[in-house]
């Protein structure tokens, strides 16, 4: 086993080092000039030798395995870019589930496909007991599948067949929306700030985090448009750094009634929606503000309305109302999904559209009528 370091240029500014211990290949990329990468590579190789020289070939423990969850996530998402914080948090939660069910196995070589299927079944039963969908079990499946491939490629465990270890069938999601009457009551009892929030969700399909992070500089009230774009931190202006995912960057249309409410709000900035201290909301603070607002409206409805009803929707429900109402009026699912920033229209249909409303049923009937032109003539 030679300690000599060889660096191979793979692209400008990136060098790769490959070494082996006991027939296990280790690969690492280093960034910078060759002179800068050499000491990094030597330190990396010394660390590899100290940790892996006497512990290999299926004897890797779970404590070693769980340090690699971010690399599993990159394998599954096939992304070479740094992971978004939300994605990292999702994999952390998935790994917590995996660790609870797999950690009694001492070595990686003890993990078999059958044991993973049993663990997935436990998660599925737990999700069903909570009336939840298969999101948690499927994230577990993806996390563990990618991690096992990662381990097998490096010789840490025996090959096992993974062809049948796939995500569970997608559960039906019940999309809960609000009626027009509920939206009208929210607008009736809301302050200018709260009405702007409601209309940004109902008229524009904005996510809660997009509403909370919308800057005055993003608005073009004269033409009735706004940009959903990243912005960097600016301490002098009190702006926090915010970077949405690629498919969240888009332009939204501000309706005339929304422009009117924004002008009434007369926000002093830099954020459009400000808290009691004149600062922008955190996502948790924004959610709390909206919950308290809905609670206040329900109290006023009980006291002042002849036909009281209870509003239970969250700020994200407004986004589902937007999708359902627009498609009920004739917008296509592709147009609606693009305006909401969805990369796939299947997400719009499954998670954001209530197909049981009278308007949506009427639209479906119209689409089915158009199929009559393709009827095959019969002689009988």
């Amino acid at each position: 086993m030679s300690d000599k370091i060889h660096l191979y240029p793979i692209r400008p500014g990136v060098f790769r080092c490959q070494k082996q211990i006991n027939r296990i290949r280790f690969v690492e990329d280093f960034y910078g000039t060759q002179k800068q990468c050499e000491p990094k590579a030597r330190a990396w190789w010394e660390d590899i030798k100290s940790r892996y020289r006497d512990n290999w070939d299926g004897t890797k423990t779970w404590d070693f395995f769980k340090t690699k969850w971010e690399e599993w996530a990159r394998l599954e998402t096939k992304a070479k870019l740094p992971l978004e914080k939300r994605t990292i948090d999702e994999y952390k939660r998935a790994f917590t589930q995996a660790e609870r069910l797999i950690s009694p196995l001492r070595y990686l070589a003890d993990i078999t496909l059958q044991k993973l299927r049993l663990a997935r079944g436990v998660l599925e039963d737990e999700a069903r007991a909570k009336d939840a969908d298969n999101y948690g079990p499927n994230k577990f499946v993806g996390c563990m599948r990618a991690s096992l491939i990662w381990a097998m490629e490096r010789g840490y465990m025996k090959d096992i067949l993974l062809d049948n270890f796939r995500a569970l069938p997608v559960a039906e999601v019940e999309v809960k929306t609000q009626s027009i009457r509920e939206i009208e009551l929210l607008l009736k009892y809301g302050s200018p700030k709260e009405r702007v929030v409601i209309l940004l969700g109902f008229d524009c399909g904005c996510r809660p985090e997009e509403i909370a992070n919308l800057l005055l500089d993003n608005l073009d009230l004269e033409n009735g448009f706004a940009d959903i774009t990243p912005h960097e931190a600016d301490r002098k202006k009190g702006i926090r750094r915010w970077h949405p995912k690629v498919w969240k960057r888009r332009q939204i249309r501000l309706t005339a009634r929304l422009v009117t409410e924004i002008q009434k709000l007369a926000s002093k900035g830099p954020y459009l929606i400000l808290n009691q201290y004149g600062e922008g909301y955190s996502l948790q603070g924004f959610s709390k503000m909206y919950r308290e607002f809905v609670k206040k409206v329900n109290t006023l409805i009980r006291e002042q309305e002849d036909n009281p009803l209870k509003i239970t929707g969250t700020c994200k429900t407004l986004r589902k109302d937007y999708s359902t109402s627009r498609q009920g009026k004739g917008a296509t699912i592709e147009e609606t999904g693009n305006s909401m920033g969805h990369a796939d229209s299947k997400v719009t249909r499954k998670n954001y559209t209530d197909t049981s409303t009278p308007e949506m049923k009427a639209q479906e009937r119209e689409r089915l009528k158009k199929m009559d032109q393709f009827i095959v003539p019969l002689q009988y």
Side-chain angles (χ1 to χ4, degrees):
M1 180 178 62
S2 173
D3 286 337
K4 191 172 183 180
I5 298 294
H6 293 281
L7 292 174
Y8 305 93
I10 57 175
R11 59 180 180 272
V14 183
F15 292 85
R16 178 166 292 172
C17 183
Q18 300 183 13
K19 301 291 288 182
Q20 283 192 355
I21 295 180
N22 297 325
R23 295 176 296 167
I24 302 174
R25 185 167 63 96
F26 295 86
V27 181
E28 187 72 14
D29 293 342
F30 301 93
Y31 298 85
T33 65
Q34 185 170 358
K35 190 174 182 180
Q36 292 171 335
C37 292
E38 284 177 355
K40 298 178 186 176
R42 289 194 194 94
W44 167 77
W45 178 232
E46 292 299 324
D47 180 60
I48 291 290
K49 287 195 298 182
S50 65
R51 286 195 290 159
Y52 305 137
R53 189 193 304 271
D54 301 318
N55 188 22
W56 65 285
D57 192 19
T59 61
K60 295 299 179 189
T61 61
W62 184 261
D63 289 335
F64 160 79
F65 203 31
K66 71 181 182 182
T67 63
K68 299 298 180 183
W69 59 266
E70 190 168 352
E71 294 184 51
W72 314 340
R74 285 200 188 94
L75 276 172
E76 190 190 355
T77 57
K78 298 181 175 61
K80 302 299 181 184
L81 299 174
L83 295 174
E84 296 287 344
K85 183 178 184 303
R86 178 180 175 183
T87 306
I88 292 174
D89 291 342
E90 287 174 353
Y91 276 96
K92 280 184 177 178
R93 288 195 291 271
F95 185 83
T96 300
Q97 294 175 318
E99 185 175 24
R100 172 170 58 89
L101 298 165
I102 307 297
S103 57
L105 305 172
R106 185 176 179 186
Y107 298 117
L108 300 190
D110 296 332
I111 300 176
T112 64
L113 183 60
Q114 182 61 28
K115 290 176 181 176
L116 290 177
R117 283 176 176 161
L118 291 173
R120 182 181 65 179
V122 171
L123 294 175
E124 185 183 14
D125 292 340
E126 291 176 353
R128 189 182 294 112
K130 298 176 182 177
D131 292 328
D133 58 18
N134 290 329
Y135 176 82
N138 283 340
K139 185 61 78 169
F140 162 78
V141 169
C143 183
M144 292 306 299
R145 181 185 175 89
S147 66
L148 293 175
I149 292 174
W150 182 92
M152 287 187 293
E153 286 177 347
R154 288 155 179 79
Y156 297 145
M157 60 186 298
K158 299 177 181 178
D159 290 358
I160 60 174
L161 295 175
L162 294 174
D163 294 340
N164 296 322
F165 190 58
R166 298 191 181 95
L168 299 164
V170 176
E172 285 294 327
V173 178
E174 183 181 356
V175 179
K176 296 181 179 179
T177 57
Q178 299 173 111
S179 65
I180 297 300
R181 174 63 177 155
E182 290 178 88
I183 301 296
E184 290 172 345
L185 288 171
L186 288 170
L187 292 170
K188 177 180 178 180
Y189 293 110
S191 66
K193 177 177 75 173
E194 291 156 351
R195 287 199 294 271
V196 168
V197 171
I198 295 164
L199 291 176
L200 279 170
F202 185 72
D203 282 1
C204 305
C206 289
R207 298 173 173 87
E209 60 267 30
E210 292 171 347
I211 299 174
N213 286 282
L214 192 61
L215 300 176
L216 289 180
D217 292 343
N218 297 139
L219 303 178
D220 180 5
L221 297 182
E222 184 177 349
N223 297 307
F225 290 95
D227 292 321
I228 303 298
T229 57
H231 51 253
E232 297 298 326
D234 189 333
R235 293 184 179 179
K236 292 183 178 179
K237 293 184 178 180
I239 298 176
R240 302 179 303 274
R241 182 177 183 275
W242 184 60
H243 187 85
K245 293 181 180 178
V246 174
W247 54 86
K248 288 185 182 177
R249 302 179 186 184
R250 67 189 191 282
Q251 193 175 71
I252 59 174
R253 175 66 174 161
L254 304 178
T255 58
R257 59 191 180 191
L258 176 53
V259 171
T260 301
E261 293 296 338
I262 291 175
Q263 291 170 341
K264 288 180 183 178
L265 179 60
S267 177
K268 296 180 180 180
Y271 289 95
L272 175 62
I273 307 298
L274 301 174
N275 60 22
Q276 58 183 331
Y277 305 108
E279 301 172 349
Y281 279 98
S282 65
L283 188 56
Q284 292 81 8
F286 183 80
S287 299
K288 181 180 179 183
M289 178 272 291
Y290 193 84
R291 285 197 305 270
E292 292 176 348
F293 163 59
V294 171
K295 185 177 179 180
K296 179 189 74 173
V297 171
N298 280 324
T299 302
L300 293 172
I301 289 174
R302 288 195 301 271
E303 294 173 353
Q304 302 182 25
E305 295 295 323
D306 295 332
N307 298 315
L309 54 84
K310 185 176 181 181
I311 299 173
T312 58
T314 64
C315 189
K316 192 171 183 178
T317 309
L318 296 170
R319 186 167 159 84
K320 300 176 183 179
D321 298 332
Y322 168 86
S323 175
T324 303
S325 62
R326 291 300 169 102
Q327 291 182 66
K329 292 296 183 181
T332 65
I333 188 171
E334 289 77 14
E335 292 170 338
T336 308
N338 289 336
S339 67
M340 297 174 71
H342 287 158
D344 190 342
S345 59
K346 293 179 183 177
V347 176
T348 313
R349 171 67 78 177
K350 177 189 170 188
N351 298 300
Y352 291 90
T353 306
D354 183 2
T355 57
S356 63
T357 63
E359 295 81 8
M360 286 299 297
K361 288 181 178 179
Q363 288 293 326
E364 188 65 25
R365 286 196 292 270
E366 289 299 320
R367 283 191 286 269
L368 291 173
K369 283 181 184 178
K370 292 179 182 178
M371 296 297 291
D372 288 352
Q373 61 184 306
F374 303 110
I375 292 176
V376 177
L378 300 175
Q379 302 272 338
Y380 65 96

